[in-house]
Amino acid sequence: MSRQVFLYDPPDRFVAGTVGLPGRRTFYLQASTGTRVTSVALEKTQVAALAERMDELLDEVVRRSGGSASVPAVAPADVVDTAPLRTPVEEEFRVGTMALAWDGSDQRMIVEAQALVELEAETEEDLAAAEEQMLQDEENGPPVLRVRLTGAQARSFAKRALEVVDAGRPPCPLCSLPLDPEGHVCPRQNGYRR
């Protein structure tokens, strides 16, 4: 079976969103063009890391271009997307590895999210070699979501993604662990409920 590539160049919409209640949320990246929609699941920390790295890469593009790149300093108000994920949310795969790149000739941010794959190897060297071979296999590699964004779309994605991550459970003022509605056992209170 050949590799499945979900390509959006450019998407009408590319957002991070969640399904479920805080503390039990499932995080998704969702790309869409017209009636075509692709949703991939990932961890909260992956969403946060992707958004932070996108902002850092965009800042670096602006710095290196001396401000001539078509990248806004902040997400333009007309591009900000606050709508929920398109339903039904059908998971294509769970994300394992992600990559970012800037295509200077087209002035586009390239986001790639590849399916999680479990590899077996006897040594660390064998595992590293198997990972490298799998990543380079364009014909039979794991499924991948590849999205090409303008600078404005990328800034808007990063802004929304960080807001989605921060919209979860509030942190405990003592230990910074997330508070459930029924409270939590706070390590700073020697195990007493807070």
Side-chain angles (χ1 to χ4, degrees):
M1 183 171 98
S2 64
R3 182 179 207 175
Q4 194 172 15
V5 177
F6 301 93
L7 178 63
Y8 289 85
D9 184 14
D12 291 341
R13 184 172 192 235
F14 181 59
V15 295
T18 62
V19 173
L21 298 171
R24 293 173 183 81
R25 299 185 295 172
T26 302
F27 287 79
Y28 291 94
L29 297 180
Q30 190 176 75
S32 61
T33 297
T35 59
R36 184 173 157 239
V37 179
T38 303
S39 302
V40 297
L42 68 169
E43 299 297 322
K44 177 180 180 177
T45 55
Q46 289 175 296
V47 174
L50 178 61
E52 290 166 3
R53 298 301 180 272
M54 283 177 85
D55 268 340
E56 290 171 6
L57 181 56
L58 292 169
D59 291 344
E60 184 66 16
V61 167
V62 170
R63 188 186 68 73
R64 287 188 181 195
S65 71
S68 65
S70 59
V71 176
V74 295
D78 61 329
V79 185
V80 173
D81 184 344
T82 58
L85 295 174
R86 284 181 49 181
T87 56
V89 178
E90 296 176 5
E91 178 182 320
E92 295 293 337
F93 58 84
R94 179 157 287 281
V95 174
T97 23
M98 296 184 295
L100 284 177
W102 179 257
D103 181 350
S105 61
D106 287 340
Q107 299 287 296
R108 294 284 190 262
M109 168 79 68
I110 303 165
V111 180
E112 194 169 282
Q114 188 168 276
L116 180 65
V117 176
E118 291 188 30
L119 299 173
E120 293 183 25
E122 294 194 20
T123 67
E124 289 291 322
E125 292 80 25
D126 291 345
L127 183 60
E131 285 177 347
E132 186 62 32
Q133 180 180 0
M134 180 198 62
L135 291 172
Q136 300 304 321
D137 189 352
E138 283 295 322
E139 189 65 28
N140 300 308
V144 65
L145 170 64
R146 191 172 294 142
V147 183
R148 294 175 56 87
L149 305 168
T150 65
Q153 286 175 314
R155 283 285 189 207
S156 178
F157 172 87
K159 180 181 187 304
R160 176 190 168 123
L162 290 173
E163 289 170 354
V164 165
V165 168
D166 291 341
R169 297 172 289 170
C172 171
L174 297 175
C175 68
S176 298
L177 292 174
L179 285 172
D180 289 321
E182 57 274 353
H184 80 120
V185 178
C186 181
R188 303 285 305 270
Q189 292 290 311
N190 291 328
Y192 289 99
R193 273 213 170 278
R194 179 129 178 87

